[in-house]
């Protein structure tokens, strides 16, 4: 059975003190996550170690990086490699968030390389895809997302994609307060799964957790996570508020 996942994306927010306080509040609440559910905290690089320390001993909660370099090592000032993340015991990394695609010009080809570096280091990517508003309005979102998947993931083996994590984030719904309707989310998630099944077979496609991202909050999480092909969420703004993210974790399907 594929994992149900609540992934926080703090982006470039919070001081260390604020972040630690948020983690303390979250840890203090009783989530009763079952063995099929995961909470992931994608935090800024300087907070990876302190947040991991807070989560030490937990079997279903982990810190994650928000990015890694497409290169293995070398003269890339300011970059952080997947191997470095692994050396501090980080097991997850977000790859291809729309903000990085836009502001850092990360193409599908560059993201394929980042995915490769993550696998080489033994780190699990959380691969983001999703269409901008213009593509949604033109009604070509299915082929747009299919191309993102093909160009960044289809060089991988079936074994690598087993239990993989994808986040579908319609760009027009990120940080805007606009959420895709649960029907729109389900439709795209089912499309993503069918594209994966056509290439890798149903069994592999069914093992992949597909998270929804884009203005998920406590008030809409249960409805969105209730869709059969939605396996949790990648949450920005609402992950910065303990009560909100707690409720989101508790909205994961059992
Ligand atoms: P949001 O961000 O929840 O603030 O819309 C989601 C994301 O970008 O991961």
């Amino acid at each position: 059975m594929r994992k149900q996942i609540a992934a926080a994306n703090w982006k470039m927010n919070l001081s260390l003190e604020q972040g630690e306080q948020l983690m303390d509040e979250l840890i203090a609440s009783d989530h009763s996550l079952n063995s099929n559910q995961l909470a992931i905290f994608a935090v800024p690089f300087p907070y990876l170690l302190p947040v991991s320390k807070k989560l030490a001993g937990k079997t279903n909660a982990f810190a994650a990086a928000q990015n890694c370099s497409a290169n293995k090592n070398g003269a890339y000032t300011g970059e952080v490699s997947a191997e470095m993340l692994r050396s501090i015991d980080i097991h997850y990394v977000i790859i291809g968030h729309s903000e990085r695609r836009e502001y850092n010009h990360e193409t599908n080809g560059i993201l394929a390389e980042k995915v490769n570096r993550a696998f080489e280091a033994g780190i699990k990517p959380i691969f983001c895809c999703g269409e901008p508003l213009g593509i949604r309005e033109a009604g070509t979102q299915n082929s747009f997302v299919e191309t993102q998947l093909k160009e960044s993931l289809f060089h991988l083996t079936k074994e690598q994609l087993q239990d993989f994590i994808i986040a579908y984030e319609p760009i027009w719904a990120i940080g805007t307060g606009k959420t895709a309707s649960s029907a729109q989310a389900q439709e795209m998630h089912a499309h993503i799964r069918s594209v994966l099944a056509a290439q890798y077979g149903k069994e592999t496609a069914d093992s992949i957790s597909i998270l929804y991202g884009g203005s998920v909050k406590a008030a809409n999480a249960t409805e969105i996570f209730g869709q059969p092909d939605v396996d949790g969420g990648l949450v920005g703004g609402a992950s910065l508020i303990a009560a909100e993210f707690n409720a989101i974790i508790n909205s994961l399907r059992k």
Side-chain angles (χ1 to χ4, degrees), residues 153-171:
L153 300 182
F154 275 22
H155 62 288
L156 297 172
T157 64
K158 208 174 158 125
E159 288 67 36
Q160 286 174 311
L161 277 178
Q162 185 73 26
D163 304 326
F164 196 75
I165 306 171
I166 289 174
Y168 166 61
E169 302 204 300
I171 298 171

Side-chain angles (χ1 to χ4, degrees), residues 1-2 18 23 26 40 48 58 64 69 73 85 172 177 195 207 215 222 224-225 241 248-249:
M1 215 162 82
R2 58 182 177 257
Q18 289 168 329
M23 291 308 297
L26 287 164
I40 293 177
L48 284 168
K58 298 207 177 294
S69 172
N73 55 36
L85 296 173
W172 46 272
V195 167
S207 77
S215 300
T222 305
I224 296 173
F225 298 173
I241 304 161
I248 290 167
I249 293 174

Side-chain angles (χ1 to χ4, degrees), residues 3 13 68 86 100 127 142 169 214-215:
K3 296 259 187 234
N13 291 299
C68 70
R86 185 56 204 237
R100 294 206 56 89
F127 179 79
N142 282 6
E169 302 204 300
S215 300

Side-chain angles (χ1 to χ4, degrees), residues 7-11 94 97-99 128 167 169-178 212-217 233-240 248:
N9 178 9
W10 289 5
K11 307 190 181 184
I94 295 178
H97 191 280
S98 61
E99 287 150 17
C128 300
E169 302 204 300
I171 298 171
W172 46 272
I174 295 179
T176 58
K178 267 191 197 165
Y212 171 79
S215 300
V216 172
K217 38 188 178 291
L234 178 57
V235 187
S239 75
L240 303 173
I248 290 167

